[in-house]
Amino acid sequence: MATIDLQKKSVKIVLEKKQLTKVTARVGLVLDITGSMRTLYKNGTV
């Protein structure tokens, strides 16, 4: 099985220049399936 490289090369260069290659980012994903925020998505607030 082959691995897929999802890294963006230009981003890697910027991170290396700023010495941020060892920093780990924490990402949160929130999904709104109720539709209660629909107007906020449509007008660009979110």
Side-chain angles (χ1 to χ4, degrees):
M1 181 180 288
T3 58
I4 299 172
D5 183 10
L6 298 177
Q7 236 180 3
K8 302 291 184 191
K9 302 303 179 197
S10 59
V11 173
K12 184 178 179 182
I13 293 169
V14 171
L15 293 175
E16 287 172 348
K17 286 182 181 178
K18 296 185 180 274
Q19 299 177 349
L20 294 173
T21 55
K22 302 292 183 200
V23 175
T24 302
R26 295 175 66 184
V27 178
L29 174 65
V30 178
L31 300 175
D32 176 25
I33 61 169
T34 66
S36 64
M37 294 181 63
R38 182 181 176 131
T39 54
L40 295 175
Y41 288 117
K42 286 185 90 170
N43 70 17
T45 301
V46 178

Short mmCIF file of all heavy atoms in Angstrom, two decimals:
data_model
loop_
_atom_site.label_atom_id
_atom_site.label_comp_id
_atom_site.label_asym_id
_atom_site.label_seq_id
_atom_site.Cartn_x
_atom_site.Cartn_y
_atom_site.Cartn_z
N MET A 1 0.85 -1.18 0.00
CA MET A 1 0.00 0.00 0.00
C MET A 1 0.90 1.25 0.00
O MET A 1 1.80 1.37 0.80
CB MET A 1 -0.90 0.00 1.23
CG MET A 1 -1.82 1.19 1.29
SD MET A 1 -2.89 1.23 2.73
CE MET A 1 -4.03 -0.06 2.32
N ALA A 2 0.63 2.17 -0.89
CA ALA A 2 1.41 3.41 -1.00
C ALA A 2 0.82 4.49 -0.10
O ALA A 2 -0.39 4.54 0.10
CB ALA A 2 1.41 3.88 -2.44
N THR A 3 1.68 5.34 0.43
CA THR A 3 1.21 6.47 1.23
C THR A 3 0.97 7.67 0.32
O THR A 3 1.59 7.79 -0.74
CB THR A 3 2.22 6.84 2.32
OG1 THR A 3 3.46 7.16 1.69
CG2 THR A 3 2.43 5.71 3.29
N ILE A 4 0.08 8.53 0.73
CA ILE A 4 -0.24 9.73 -0.03
C ILE A 4 0.31 10.93 0.74
O ILE A 4 0.03 11.10 1.93
CB ILE A 4 -1.76 9.88 -0.20
CG1 ILE A 4 -2.31 8.68 -0.97
CG2 ILE A 4 -2.10 11.18 -0.92
CD1 ILE A 4 -3.82 8.65 -1.03
N ASP A 5 1.08 11.77 0.05
CA ASP A 5 1.66 12.96 0.66
C ASP A 5 0.69 14.13 0.48
O ASP A 5 0.47 14.59 -0.64
CB ASP A 5 3.01 13.30 0.03
CG ASP A 5 3.69 14.49 0.66
OD1 ASP A 5 3.22 14.95 1.72
OD2 ASP A 5 4.69 14.96 0.11
N LEU A 6 0.06 14.58 1.56
CA LEU A 6 -0.90 15.68 1.50
C LEU A 6 -0.25 17.01 1.85
O LEU A 6 -0.94 18.03 1.93
CB LEU A 6 -2.07 15.40 2.44
CG LEU A 6 -2.90 14.16 2.11
CD1 LEU A 6 -3.98 13.96 3.16
CD2 LEU A 6 -3.50 14.26 0.73
N GLN A 7 1.05 17.01 2.08
CA GLN A 7 1.74 18.24 2.48
C GLN A 7 1.85 19.21 1.31
O GLN A 7 2.13 18.82 0.18
CB GLN A 7 3.16 17.90 2.95
CG GLN A 7 3.45 18.36 4.31
CD GLN A 7 4.87 18.00 4.74
OE1 GLN A 7 5.64 17.45 4.00
NE2 GLN A 7 5.17 18.31 5.95
N LYS A 8 1.62 20.47 1.57
CA LYS A 8 1.79 21.51 0.58
C LYS A 8 3.23 21.99 0.65
O LYS A 8 3.69 22.46 1.68
CB LYS A 8 0.84 22.68 0.83
CG LYS A 8 -0.62 22.28 0.84
CD LYS A 8 -1.07 21.89 -0.54
CE LYS A 8 -2.55 21.58 -0.55
NZ LYS A 8 -3.00 20.98 -1.74
N LYS A 9 3.96 21.87 -0.44
CA LYS A 9 5.39 22.18 -0.44
C LYS A 9 5.68 23.64 -0.13
O LYS A 9 6.61 23.96 0.58
CB LYS A 9 6.02 21.78 -1.78
CG LYS A 9 5.84 20.32 -2.12
CD LYS A 9 6.40 19.40 -1.07
CE LYS A 9 6.16 17.95 -1.46
NZ LYS A 9 6.30 17.02 -0.40
N SER A 10 4.88 24.58 -0.67
CA SER A 10 5.13 26.00 -0.43
C SER A 10 4.89 26.36 1.04
O SER A 10 5.59 27.20 1.60
CB SER A 10 4.27 26.88 -1.34
OG SER A 10 2.91 26.62 -1.13
N VAL A 11 3.93 25.71 1.67
CA VAL A 11 3.66 25.95 3.09
C VAL A 11 4.83 25.43 3.92
O VAL A 11 5.26 26.08 4.87
CB VAL A 11 2.35 25.27 3.53
CG1 VAL A 11 2.16 25.36 5.03
CG2 VAL A 11 1.17 25.88 2.80
N LYS A 12 5.39 24.31 3.51
CA LYS A 12 6.53 23.74 4.22
C LYS A 12 7.70 24.70 4.21
O LYS A 12 8.38 24.88 5.23
CB LYS A 12 6.93 22.41 3.58
CG LYS A 12 8.04 21.71 4.31
CD LYS A 12 8.37 20.38 3.67
CE LYS A 12 9.50 19.72 4.41
NZ LYS A 12 9.89 18.46 3.83
N ILE A 13 7.94 25.36 3.09
CA ILE A 13 9.05 26.32 2.98
C ILE A 13 8.84 27.48 3.94
O ILE A 13 9.76 27.89 4.64
CB ILE A 13 9.18 26.82 1.53
CG1 ILE A 13 9.64 25.67 0.63
CG2 ILE A 13 10.15 27.99 1.44
CD1 ILE A 13 9.57 25.96 -0.85
N VAL A 14 7.62 28.01 4.01
CA VAL A 14 7.32 29.13 4.92
C VAL A 14 7.52 28.70 6.37
O VAL A 14 8.11 29.43 7.16
CB VAL A 14 5.88 29.64 4.69
CG1 VAL A 14 5.48 30.65 5.76
CG2 VAL A 14 5.73 30.24 3.31
N LEU A 15 7.03 27.52 6.72
CA LEU A 15 7.18 27.03 8.10
C LEU A 15 8.65 26.83 8.45
O LEU A 15 9.06 27.12 9.57
CB LEU A 15 6.40 25.73 8.28
CG LEU A 15 4.88 25.85 8.20
CD1 LEU A 15 4.25 24.47 8.27
CD2 LEU A 15 4.35 26.75 9.29
N GLU A 16 9.43 26.35 7.51
CA GLU A 16 10.86 26.17 7.76
C GLU A 16 11.54 27.51 8.00
O GLU A 16 12.37 27.65 8.89
CB GLU A 16 11.52 25.43 6.60
CG GLU A 16 11.18 23.96 6.56
CD GLU A 16 11.67 23.26 5.30
OE1 GLU A 16 12.07 23.93 4.33
OE2 GLU A 16 11.62 22.01 5.29
N LYS A 17 11.21 28.52 7.20
CA LYS A 17 11.80 29.85 7.35
C LYS A 17 11.47 30.45 8.70
O LYS A 17 12.26 31.15 9.31
CB LYS A 17 11.34 30.78 6.24
CG LYS A 17 11.98 30.51 4.91
CD LYS A 17 11.51 31.50 3.86
CE LYS A 17 12.14 31.20 2.53
NZ LYS A 17 11.67 32.13 1.49
N LYS A 18 10.26 30.20 9.20
CA LYS A 18 9.82 30.74 10.49
C LYS A 18 10.11 29.80 11.65
O LYS A 18 9.70 30.04 12.77
CB LYS A 18 8.33 31.08 10.44
CG LYS A 18 8.02 32.16 9.43
CD LYS A 18 6.57 32.55 9.47
CE LYS A 18 6.26 33.61 8.46
NZ LYS A 18 6.50 34.95 8.92
N GLN A 19 10.83 28.71 11.35
CA GLN A 19 11.22 27.71 12.35
C GLN A 19 10.00 27.16 13.10
O GLN A 19 9.99 27.05 14.32
CB GLN A 19 12.24 28.29 13.32
CG GLN A 19 13.52 28.72 12.63
CD GLN A 19 14.50 29.37 13.58
OE1 GLN A 19 14.18 29.70 14.71
NE2 GLN A 19 15.71 29.58 13.10
N LEU A 20 8.97 26.81 12.35
CA LEU A 20 7.73 26.30 12.95
C LEU A 20 7.45 24.86 12.53
O LEU A 20 6.32 24.38 12.65
CB LEU A 20 6.55 27.18 12.54
CG LEU A 20 6.57 28.61 13.06
CD1 LEU A 20 5.45 29.42 12.46
CD2 LEU A 20 6.51 28.63 14.57
N THR A 21 8.46 24.15 12.07
CA THR A 21 8.23 22.79 11.58
C THR A 21 7.95 21.80 12.71
O THR A 21 7.39 20.74 12.46
CB THR A 21 9.42 22.28 10.76
OG1 THR A 21 10.61 22.39 11.54
CG2 THR A 21 9.58 23.09 9.49
N LYS A 22 8.30 22.12 13.94
CA LYS A 22 8.08 21.21 15.06
C LYS A 22 6.79 21.51 15.82
O LYS A 22 6.46 20.84 16.77
CB LYS A 22 9.26 21.27 16.04
CG LYS A 22 10.59 20.93 15.41
CD LYS A 22 10.67 19.48 15.02
CE LYS A 22 12.05 19.18 14.45
NZ LYS A 22 12.10 18.01 13.65
N VAL A 23 6.04 22.54 15.39
CA VAL A 23 4.81 22.93 16.06
C VAL A 23 3.67 22.02 15.62
O VAL A 23 3.51 21.73 14.43
CB VAL A 23 4.45 24.41 15.74
CG1 VAL A 23 3.12 24.78 16.34
CG2 VAL A 23 5.54 25.32 16.24
N THR A 24 2.89 21.55 16.57
CA THR A 24 1.74 20.70 16.27
C THR A 24 0.46 21.53 16.41
O THR A 24 0.24 22.17 17.43
CB THR A 24 1.67 19.51 17.24
OG1 THR A 24 2.89 18.77 17.13
CG2 THR A 24 0.51 18.61 16.93
N ALA A 25 -0.34 21.53 15.36
CA ALA A 25 -1.59 22.28 15.39
C ALA A 25 -2.72 21.37 15.85
O ALA A 25 -2.76 20.19 15.54
CB ALA A 25 -1.91 22.81 13.99
N ARG A 26 -3.64 21.93 16.62
CA ARG A 26 -4.83 21.21 17.03
C ARG A 26 -6.00 21.79 16.25
O ARG A 26 -6.21 22.99 16.23
CB ARG A 26 -5.06 21.36 18.52
CG ARG A 26 -3.95 20.69 19.33
CD ARG A 26 -4.11 20.93 20.79
NE ARG A 26 -5.33 20.27 21.27
CZ ARG A 26 -5.77 20.37 22.50
NH1 ARG A 26 -5.11 21.09 23.39
NH2 ARG A 26 -6.87 19.75 22.87
N VAL A 27 -6.75 20.94 15.61
CA VAL A 27 -7.84 21.38 14.76
C VAL A 27 -9.15 20.79 15.27
O VAL A 27 -9.22 19.62 15.59
CB VAL A 27 -7.60 20.91 13.30
CG1 VAL A 27 -8.76 21.31 12.40
CG2 VAL A 27 -6.29 21.47 12.77
N GLY A 28 -10.15 21.64 15.32
CA GLY A 28 -11.48 21.17 15.72
C GLY A 28 -12.44 21.31 14.55
O GLY A 28 -12.37 22.27 13.80
N LEU A 29 -13.31 20.36 14.41
CA LEU A 29 -14.30 20.40 13.34
C LEU A 29 -15.68 20.34 13.97
O LEU A 29 -15.98 19.45 14.77
CB LEU A 29 -14.11 19.20 12.39
CG LEU A 29 -15.16 19.03 11.32
CD1 LEU A 29 -15.14 20.20 10.35
CD2 LEU A 29 -14.96 17.71 10.59
N VAL A 30 -16.50 21.32 13.61
CA VAL A 30 -17.87 21.36 14.13
C VAL A 30 -18.81 21.36 12.94
O VAL A 30 -18.66 22.15 12.02
CB VAL A 30 -18.10 22.64 14.98
CG1 VAL A 30 -19.52 22.70 15.47
CG2 VAL A 30 -17.11 22.70 16.12
N LEU A 31 -19.77 20.46 12.97
CA LEU A 31 -20.76 20.38 11.90
C LEU A 31 -22.13 20.77 12.43
O LEU A 31 -22.55 20.30 13.48
CB LEU A 31 -20.82 18.95 11.34
CG LEU A 31 -19.54 18.40 10.75
CD1 LEU A 31 -19.72 16.95 10.36
CD2 LEU A 31 -19.09 19.22 9.56
N ASP A 32 -22.81 21.65 11.71
CA ASP A 32 -24.16 22.06 12.09
C ASP A 32 -25.14 21.41 11.13
O ASP A 32 -25.31 21.87 10.00
CB ASP A 32 -24.28 23.58 12.03
CG ASP A 32 -25.69 24.06 12.33
OD1 ASP A 32 -26.43 23.34 13.01
OD2 ASP A 32 -26.05 25.17 11.87
N ILE A 33 -25.77 20.34 11.56
CA ILE A 33 -26.72 19.65 10.68
C ILE A 33 -28.14 20.14 10.87
O ILE A 33 -29.04 19.71 10.16
CB ILE A 33 -26.65 18.11 10.87
CG1 ILE A 33 -27.01 17.73 12.30
CG2 ILE A 33 -25.30 17.57 10.49
CD1 ILE A 33 -27.22 16.25 12.49
N THR A 34 -28.35 21.04 11.81
CA THR A 34 -29.70 21.53 12.08
C THR A 34 -30.13 22.61 11.10
O THR A 34 -31.31 22.86 10.94
CB THR A 34 -29.80 22.12 13.51
OG1 THR A 34 -28.98 23.29 13.58
CG2 THR A 34 -29.37 21.12 14.55
N GLY A 35 -29.16 23.29 10.49
CA GLY A 35 -29.50 24.38 9.58
C GLY A 35 -29.73 25.70 10.30
O GLY A 35 -30.06 26.70 9.68
N SER A 36 -29.53 25.72 11.61
CA SER A 36 -29.80 26.94 12.37
C SER A 36 -28.83 28.08 12.05
O SER A 36 -29.14 29.23 12.29
CB SER A 36 -29.73 26.64 13.88
OG SER A 36 -28.43 26.23 14.24
N MET A 37 -27.69 27.76 11.47
CA MET A 37 -26.71 28.79 11.13
C MET A 37 -26.68 29.09 9.64
O MET A 37 -25.77 29.76 9.15
CB MET A 37 -25.32 28.36 11.61
CG MET A 37 -25.22 28.27 13.12
SD MET A 37 -23.58 27.79 13.69
CE MET A 37 -22.59 29.15 13.12
N ARG A 38 -27.68 28.63 8.92
CA ARG A 38 -27.70 28.78 7.47
C ARG A 38 -27.51 30.24 7.02
O ARG A 38 -26.74 30.52 6.12
CB ARG A 38 -29.00 28.22 6.92
CG ARG A 38 -29.09 28.31 5.42
CD ARG A 38 -30.42 27.77 4.92
NE ARG A 38 -30.50 27.96 3.50
CZ ARG A 38 -30.84 27.03 2.65
NH1 ARG A 38 -31.16 25.84 3.09
NH2 ARG A 38 -30.90 27.28 1.36
N THR A 39 -28.21 31.16 7.65
CA THR A 39 -28.08 32.57 7.24
C THR A 39 -26.67 33.10 7.52
O THR A 39 -26.16 33.90 6.75
CB THR A 39 -29.11 33.45 7.96
OG1 THR A 39 -29.00 33.27 9.36
CG2 THR A 39 -30.51 33.13 7.54
N LEU A 40 -26.04 32.63 8.59
CA LEU A 40 -24.68 33.06 8.88
C LEU A 40 -23.69 32.53 7.85
O LEU A 40 -22.74 33.23 7.46
CB LEU A 40 -24.27 32.59 10.29
CG LEU A 40 -25.05 33.19 11.44
CD1 LEU A 40 -24.64 32.54 12.76
CD2 LEU A 40 -24.86 34.70 11.50
N TYR A 41 -23.90 31.32 7.37
CA TYR A 41 -23.06 30.77 6.30
C TYR A 41 -23.29 31.53 5.00
O TYR A 41 -22.35 31.86 4.29
CB TYR A 41 -23.35 29.28 6.09
CG TYR A 41 -22.83 28.38 7.18
CD1 TYR A 41 -23.71 27.63 7.94
CD2 TYR A 41 -21.48 28.28 7.46
CE1 TYR A 41 -23.26 26.79 8.95
CE2 TYR A 41 -21.02 27.45 8.47
CZ TYR A 41 -21.90 26.70 9.19
OH TYR A 41 -21.45 25.89 10.19
N LYS A 42 -24.55 31.80 4.68
CA LYS A 42 -24.88 32.45 3.42
C LYS A 42 -24.34 33.87 3.34
O LYS A 42 -23.90 34.31 2.28
CB LYS A 42 -26.38 32.45 3.19
CG LYS A 42 -26.93 31.09 2.80
CD LYS A 42 -28.40 31.16 2.47
CE LYS A 42 -28.48 31.44 1.00
NZ LYS A 42 -29.85 31.30 0.48
N ASN A 43 -24.38 34.61 4.46
CA ASN A 43 -23.92 36.01 4.40
C ASN A 43 -22.42 36.15 4.68
O ASN A 43 -21.90 37.25 4.69
CB ASN A 43 -24.75 36.92 5.32
CG ASN A 43 -24.49 36.67 6.80
OD1 ASN A 43 -23.51 36.08 7.20
ND2 ASN A 43 -25.40 37.16 7.62
N GLY A 44 -21.73 35.02 4.91
CA GLY A 44 -20.28 35.07 5.06
C GLY A 44 -19.76 35.29 6.47
O GLY A 44 -18.57 35.41 6.68
N THR A 45 -20.64 35.34 7.45
CA THR A 45 -20.21 35.52 8.84
C THR A 45 -19.37 34.34 9.28
O THR A 45 -18.36 34.50 9.95
CB THR A 45 -21.42 35.68 9.77
OG1 THR A 45 -22.17 36.81 9.34
CG2 THR A 45 -21.00 35.88 11.20
N VAL A 46 -19.77 33.16 8.88
CA VAL A 46 -19.05 31.92 9.23
C VAL A 46 -18.42 31.36 7.97
O VAL A 46 -19.03 31.29 6.94
CB VAL A 46 -20.00 30.89 9.86
CG1 VAL A 46 -19.26 29.59 10.17
CG2 VAL A 46 -20.62 31.45 11.11
#
